[in-house]
Amino acid sequence: MNILFSSKEYDFHTLIKVAEIAGLAGVVSFHQAGDDYLVTFPDVEKTEEIVKDYRARLRDLENNIWSH
């Protein structure tokens, strides 16, 4: 499954860091898509769950950064 993330919302390093935090380093791959980023998740039984967790961790990081 591929998810496109806007570079206006997230930078490349944030996407990578969240993948590391989620234990997905080496499992997901990142690609430049114009100015944006395409994140490729493995096609497994729990793909939807993995994507949902990844997005939740992105929101948590964003909320944590902006709350201080």
Side-chain angles (χ1 to χ4, degrees):
M1 176 182 283
N2 297 318
I3 307 291
L4 186 66
F5 290 94
S6 171
S7 61
K8 293 177 183 176
E9 243 183 303
Y10 300 107
D11 66 25
F12 186 70
H13 298 291
T14 299
L15 296 174
I16 291 174
K17 187 64 175 175
V18 170
E20 291 172 353
I21 292 168
L24 296 172
V27 176
V28 297
S29 56
F30 302 89
H31 313 278
Q32 192 79 35
D35 290 336
D36 300 323
Y37 308 105
L38 188 66
V39 181
T40 303
F41 293 85
D43 212 8
V44 295
E45 191 174 307
K46 296 182 178 184
T47 300
E48 293 291 332
E49 199 174 302
I50 293 169
V51 170
K52 188 176 182 179
D53 179 61
Y54 184 81
R55 287 181 184 256
R57 289 174 187 267
L58 275 172
R59 281 190 306 276
D60 289 347
L61 180 64
E62 182 180 310
N63 291 335
N64 195 17
I65 289 172
W66 298 117
S67 67
H68 296 348

